[in-house]
Amino acid sequence: MVKIPESKVQSQKSGVDSKYLVNGYYPTIGIECHVQLKTKSKLFSTASNDARGAEPNTLVNHVCFGLPGALPVLNKEAVRLASKAAYALGTRPQKFSKFDRKHYFYPDLPKGYQISQYDQPIILDGKITIHLENGIKRVINITRAHLEEDAGKSTHPTGEDYSLVDLNRAGTPLLEIVSEPELHNSEEAKAYAKELWLAMKYSGVSDVDLYHGNMRFDVNVSVSKDPTKFGTRSETKNLNSFKSVEKAVDYEINRQIDLLEKGEKVIQETRGWLDDKQKTVSQRSKEDAHDYRYFPDPDIPPVVLDEEYLMGIESSLNKTPEYWRSALEKISLSKLQTEALLEAQAELGSSYLELVTAQTMECAKTYANWIINFEVPLRRELLEKSSDLKIDDNIREKLFEQLYLLQKDGKLSSNNVKALLVELLSQNKLPDSVEKYAENAGYIQVNDSAELEQIIEKVITENPKPVADVQNGEMKAIGFLVGQVMKASAGKANPAMVQQIIRDKLKV
Ligand code: ADP
Ligand code: MG
């Protein structure tokens, strides 16, 4: 009988930290993640792999239906993307891998088996470094990752005595990434899910659109009083957000501890996550590997990759999230800003990181702030209205450069930087001179001291009480006076300058 590679973790278990203890139990979590590869066609046929928005059963052919005599032909591009994914997981693809049939009966699996990889998958022994809140990093080992075809989709209309099957998704190429059971709380599980998402996005192998199920997480959770032994695990399937990974893990840890404390047993089963109820529910008891009657698929020759092929892949790799993290660390961005930028680049797909890391430290911090606090919310808002939003990376770069100078010269307040940035980015065009544009639209601050002095004189005369307070050393009242000047100037005064003039005038 073929045997899949053994988990190496048993030896590491004795080192489990007591900080993970929950009521005297050690939680253990291992995550399986299905990543949809972004090929044009399916894993074993020429049918389209872009099921988004298509009518049911329109992206199908004889292979998807599993018609007698239909022969699968392996999609080269899927192998290329899986090979790239290997590097994103900190390893190289296996030079020899093969496909196996995994048998089970389900209406959305017309062949009666799924083509997958069992004992010789394309990826073995990877790793992912996770980043935790307190700045701690942990390396999580990846047991394996294999290529497999997705099944179709069944729907069960409520109150009807039939089910519907849509085979558009049948045959979609998936990379299933299996972690070692080395995670020990929900924070680590969530950080792992997020890191995998970044890794798959940055390597360009998947669209990683969680909402459309491009990446789905199955969390295996067990608890045990004895750190050298695993408890019985449950597997909660098809989680499609980092938050639900976190919540499902916490829910399962507590549920299992409650059961054990009551003297009951945890059963090995597959569970589902109800997002509206924030709980897991039992779906079915779990098959063991031998129930699947795996055997090599005689229709598909093994995949053999030579050194030249791997070198070709290596020369085409993108920069990794780790690369960008250290580049951002070098310009002293905070962890919060770093993570927000990494996510923004992955989610919104612009070259923010190139732009930010090319700046000097002070400017990089300002750009990061604009991107995270002004542009990202704007893009999300615009994306909701129209999916073909375009903001040119070139336009952003030039716009930022000019806004930065204007702000530095005190000509723009940060509120007005935001207003301009939002206005110009959503138009996706750049005026010849941002300064002229800002002037015409009334955004430029008044730095003309004669003009400011006039307004300030008036505010001082009209507000004797706060003026007296300031003179008596109550500095809070200065803020009020500055506010009055800002109001009188319709927001155009340069607040730093206003404050200085007031101080000079009141001699404080
Ligand atoms: P299957 O494919 O049947 O779900 P695997 O042996 O491939 O089984 O394991 C699936 C996942 O479960 C892996 O990520 C592994 O790390 C994790 N796992 C295995 N045993 C445990 C356990 N006792 N507690 C938590 N996770 C576990
Ligand atoms: Mg599983």
Side-chain angles (χ1 to χ4, degrees):
M1 199 196 124
V2 283
K3 217 167 161 2
I4 57 166
E6 283 282 341
S7 160
K8 305 174 297 299
V9 83
Q10 212 60 37
S11 57
Q12 296 165 9
K13 276 233 66 169
S14 52
V16 172
D17 200 317
S18 63
K19 73 174 178 227
Y20 294 123
L21 276 178
V22 183
N23 296 345
Y25 291 86
Y26 285 110
T28 300
I29 302 129
I31 295 184
E32 295 158 271
C33 174
H34 289 91
V35 180
Q36 191 175 314
L37 299 177
K38 57 173 188 192
T39 53
K40 284 212 179 71
S41 55
K42 292 186 180 176
L43 187 52
F44 299 112
S45 85
T46 53
S48 166
N49 180 35
D50 189 8
R52 218 175 289 182
E55 286 291 304
N57 297 308
T58 52
L59 311 177
V60 283
N61 62 20
H62 53 294
V63 176
C64 313
F65 279 118
L67 294 180
L71 282 176
V73 176
L74 179 59
N75 183 338
K76 242 195 208 164
E77 179 64 2
V79 174
R80 193 180 73 87
L81 295 178
S83 300
K84 280 186 132 181
Y87 292 96
L89 297 172
T91 184
R92 298 182 101 201
Q94 295 294 301
K95 287 187 173 164
F96 182 95
S97 60
K98 68 173 182 61
F99 286 90
D100 302 276
R101 293 183 177 182
K102 178 182 185 181
H103 297 82
Y104 59 96
F105 178 77
Y106 218 69
D108 54 28
L109 187 71
K111 296 193 295 299
Y113 62 85
Q114 176 191 27
I115 308 177
S116 181
Q117 297 188 301
Y118 186 48
D119 57 323
Q120 293 188 284
I122 188 155
I123 298 172
L124 283 172
D125 296 328
K127 56 182 184 312
I128 278 283
T129 303
I130 61 170
H131 296 261
L132 303 166
E133 297 288 335
N134 47 12
I136 290 178
K137 297 180 194 175
R138 277 197 67 209
V139 175
I140 304 302
N141 290 295
I142 307 287
T143 317
R144 52 185 272 131
H146 58 262
L147 271 168
E148 65 182 25
E149 57 176 346
D150 206 347
K153 193 173 147 209
S154 304
T155 339
H156 314 287
T158 32
E160 303 295 347
D161 59 356
Y162 59 83
S163 290
L164 297 166
V165 173
D166 174 12
L167 294 179
N168 280 351
R169 209 178 62 186
T172 283
L174 299 177
L175 186 70
E176 177 173 341
I177 303 171
V178 182
S179 86
E180 288 289 301
E182 294 178 350
L183 303 155
H184 297 291
N185 61 28
S186 60
E187 187 203 348
E188 293 186 352
K190 183 180 171 192
Y192 173 82
K194 185 176 149 205
E195 208 53 45
L196 214 50
W197 178 79
L198 284 175
M200 293 302 112
K201 178 67 193 189
Y202 279 70
S203 59
V205 305
S206 170
D207 287 327
V208 302
D209 179 342
L210 293 168
Y211 182 73
H212 286 101
N214 286 177
M215 239 173 136
R216 317 189 290 260
F217 302 95
D218 302 344
V219 298
N220 295 267
V221 179
S222 66
V223 300
S224 169
K225 276 207 159 151
D226 175 355
T228 64
K229 287 209 182 85
F230 285 127
T232 304
R233 70 181 153 122
S234 67
E235 178 177 8
T236 304
K237 280 188 114 53
N238 286 325
L239 298 164
N240 68 355
S241 69
F242 307 138
K243 188 110 216 138
S244 60
V245 166
E246 181 185 26
K247 296 279 180 197
V249 165
D250 278 334
Y251 186 87
E252 274 304 295
I253 291 174
N254 292 327
R255 184 186 69 86
Q256 295 182 12
I257 291 177
D258 282 353
L259 279 176
L260 296 172
E261 286 293 296
K262 280 192 284 187
E264 293 174 33
K265 279 202 169 118
V266 174
I267 41 175
Q268 187 173 331
E269 63 181 352
T270 301
R271 299 180 71 85
W273 172 248
L274 302 180
D275 210 43
D276 48 346
K277 301 210 170 95
Q278 294 283 297
K279 61 189 275 196
T280 67
V281 285
S282 176
Q283 285 180 334
R284 58 187 153 89
S285 69
K286 173 93 194 154
E287 302 87 348
D288 275 322
H290 58 257
D291 295 328
Y292 290 124
R293 292 165 292 127
Y294 278 103
F295 69 79
D297 193 310
D299 291 337
I300 304 162
V303 179
V304 180
L305 308 177
D306 60 18
E307 198 57 30
E308 196 187 333
Y309 180 85
L310 297 192
M311 306 269 273
I313 298 279
E314 279 165 30
S315 66
S316 72
L317 297 174
N318 297 336
K319 293 185 175 120
T320 62
E322 283 308 306
Y323 167 89
W324 288 115
R325 266 209 188 83
S326 57
L328 293 169
E329 253 166 43
K330 274 192 206 114
I331 50 171
S332 301
L333 282 199
S334 71
K335 179 161 163 29
L336 223 63
Q337 280 189 318
T338 300
E339 296 306 312
L341 279 181
L342 284 169
E343 264 181 61
Q345 172 126 322
E347 185 189 351
L348 306 170
S350 266
S351 55
Y352 299 115
L353 299 174
E354 272 94 350
L355 178 61
V356 172
T357 50
Q359 311 306 320
T360 58
M361 218 179 270
E362 189 201 331
C363 180
K365 279 191 205 303
T366 307
Y367 280 20
N369 174 35
W370 291 351
I371 290 167
I372 297 163
N373 296 314
F374 304 161
E375 187 178 347
V376 166
L378 167 73
R379 287 174 76 101
R380 287 211 183 113
E381 192 189 309
L382 293 178
L383 271 174
E384 261 169 40
K385 289 187 206 144
S386 131
S387 57
D388 53 301
L389 163 76
K390 183 97 190 78
I391 296 178
D392 211 286
D393 284 340
N394 241 334
I395 290 186
R396 176 187 313 102
E397 184 176 342
K398 298 218 170 77
L399 175 63
F400 277 23
E401 201 182 297
Q402 297 192 46
L403 289 179
Y404 186 68
L405 289 178
L406 291 171
Q407 190 182 40
K408 231 176 140 189
D409 287 350
K411 292 182 179 160
L412 283 179
S413 67
S414 66
N415 273 345
N416 285 350
V417 167
K418 177 178 180 181
L420 271 168
L421 197 138
V422 165
E423 207 169 299
L424 291 171
L425 282 184
S426 28
Q427 291 169 16
N428 197 29
K429 51 178 199 253
L430 195 68
D432 290 336
S433 154
V434 174
E435 181 165 10
K436 279 236 164 62
Y437 179 94
E439 224 167 65
N440 291 341
Y443 286 124
I444 295 291
Q445 287 186 146
V446 179
N447 289 317
D448 174 343
S449 52
E451 195 177 327
L452 285 180
E453 273 189 46
Q454 249 183 6
I455 305 176
I456 290 168
E457 281 297 346
K458 195 159 169 270
V459 167
I460 286 179
T461 338
E462 283 169 4
N463 295 281
K465 170 85 171 53
V467 167
D469 288 347
V470 172
Q471 280 165 332
N472 291 330
E474 241 188 81
M475 284 309 157
K476 262 198 308 211
I478 259 198
F480 172 79
L481 293 175
V482 173
Q484 292 307 106
V485 177
M486 295 308 291
K487 213 158 129 193
S489 72
K492 286 188 204 162
N494 176 343
M497 220 166 144
V498 170
Q499 177 156 150
Q500 196 49 55
I501 298 175
I502 295 178
R503 280 174 183 274
D504 289 348
K505 286 199 180 298
L506 302 183
K507 303 196 172 59
V508 292

